[in-house]
Amino acid sequence: MLQVKSATTTWQVVQEKNQILLNGTPFTWDLLPLSPTSFHILKDGRSYTAEVLEADPETKALRIKVNGTVHTLQVQDRMDLLLESLGMGQALAQKINDIKAPMPGLILDIKVAPGQEVKKGDPILILEAMKMENIIKSPGDGVVSAVKVNVKQNVEKNQVLIVF
């Protein structure tokens, strides 16, 4: 079972044997792929053109365009719904407390400061190891609490570099 939410509507989607149930009612349609991201759909005698604009499997979010109108959808599976009902909706979100050195090296540059907000994938610092520059990126969203190293400082593997 899936729950699909748009800005205005929520649908319960269940696949049983060879049919799809939408809010408990059989949903029949003809779907013809036009490309890997676009489709032609026939439903109740009406024709629709749908295109997947963005799909983020990590957050289970979709942006689709149907007949020229863009819709943002959020999908939740059984596990997401169970965790939400138990008050643990963010349990699967990656929490970061600190960044540790992945290997011994020399800090070449620090890209953040205490109090700075970072997003997943933002460069945090540059670590030189074995004559190679390694850009250390944030593994998740957070706010920098403390920077525990300085530029030109040697660090050991697993030494705490940044605290969130």
Side-chain angles (χ1 to χ4, degrees), residues 46-115:
R46 294 194 58 204
S47 177
Y48 301 90
T49 302
E51 180 181 3
V52 178
L53 302 174
E54 273 181 62
D56 185 351
E58 198 169 300
T59 61
K60 299 178 185 170
L62 294 167
R63 274 186 359 109
I64 61 171
K65 183 171 25 172
V66 180
N67 288 351
T69 304
V70 176
H71 303 275
T72 301
L73 304 174
Q74 185 66 47
V75 180
Q76 292 179 297
D77 60 19
R78 287 177 197 252
M79 183 61 71
D80 297 326
L81 295 170
L82 176 62
L83 288 172
E84 190 175 281
S85 73
L86 295 172
M88 300 167 48
Q90 295 300 316
L92 296 178
Q94 186 168 11
K95 306 269 192 256
I96 53 172
N97 296 322
D98 53 40
I99 302 284
K100 295 180 180 178
M103 63 194 85
L106 175 71
I107 303 296
L108 293 182
D109 192 13
I110 300 170
K111 304 282 189 186
V112 296

Side-chain angles (χ1 to χ4, degrees), residues 96 111-120 122-124 138 140-145 164:
I96 53 172
K111 304 282 189 186
V112 296
Q116 183 176 341
E117 193 172 309
V118 294
K119 300 286 183 200
K120 180 178 180 175
D122 286 352
I124 301 291
S138 177
D141 296 350
V143 176
V144 175
S145 170
F164 290 90

Side-chain angles (χ1 to χ4, degrees), residues 97-101 107 110 112-114 124-125 144-151 153-155 159-164:
N97 296 322
D98 53 40
I99 302 284
K100 295 180 180 178
I107 303 296
I110 300 170
V112 296
I124 301 291
L125 56 86
V144 175
S145 170
V147 177
K148 298 288 193 179
V149 292
N150 297 308
V151 174
Q153 179 180 340
N154 286 313
V155 296
Q159 180 177 338
V160 175
L161 307 174
I162 307 285
V163 178
F164 290 90

